[in-house]
Amino acid sequence: MSVQRIEQNPRMSEASKAGNLVILAGQVADGDTVASQAQSIFNSIDALLEKAGTHKANILFANIYLTDINDFDELNKVWEGWVAADQGQTPSRATMQVVRLARPEWKVEVQVFATV
């Protein structure tokens, strides 16, 4: 089985595809609010999945990391709008609070596992 690297740089690949499995690196984005960051992240996920030959209806599982669990409802509003286009295809998910992300301005990070 070959491995395809998508948007690779010297440090990492934004996505890796092996057989029918696609794993995205944790996606982050700039923005003033969790909602604006989440929307940008979900747009990035859509684009990466397309490059891997799949789409969000094929997401199996998402890990969501928040720096403040009080932002959970704000995140969910954006999440629900994003997955609503694929009714009946809502993936499994875990959401957790972390002490911090790699940059202090990042409030949310999302990693997904999908199939082709």
Side-chain angles (χ1 to χ4, degrees), residues 1 3 25-26 32 35 42 46-47 55-56 59-60 62 65 67-68 70 77 81 87 94 96 98 103-105 110 113:
M1 173 184 328
V3 176
D32 294 333
F42 296 147
D46 285 336
H55 47 84
K56 67 183 167 195
I59 294 174
L60 301 171
Y65 307 96
T67 57
D68 186 345
N70 292 313
K77 286 178 186 173
Q87 287 295 329
M96 61 219 77
V98 296
R103 288 191 180 165
E105 64 268 23
V110 181
F113 300 80

Side-chain angles (χ1 to χ4, degrees), residues 10-92:
R11 186 178 312 138
M12 60 182 262
S13 298
E14 291 296 328
S16 297
K17 180 179 176 183
N20 290 333
L21 183 63
V22 178
I23 302 172
L24 271 58
Q27 299 298 301
V28 293
D30 293 326
D32 294 333
T33 65
V34 165
S36 65
Q37 289 185 18
Q39 188 59 61
S40 293
I41 289 168
F42 296 147
N43 291 342
S44 295
I45 290 171
D46 285 336
L48 287 167
L49 291 174
E50 184 177 337
K51 288 180 182 182
T54 191
H55 47 84
K56 67 183 167 195
N58 289 338
I59 294 174
L60 301 171
F61 190 83
N63 280 315
I64 301 177
Y65 307 96
L66 289 169
T67 57
D68 186 345
I69 202 66
N70 292 313
D71 293 328
F72 187 66
D73 291 338
E74 183 180 352
L75 166 78
N76 279 333
K77 286 178 186 173
V78 181
W79 171 268
E80 290 163 5
W82 181 60
V83 296
D86 292 319
Q87 287 295 329
Q89 301 299 320
T90 307
S92 301

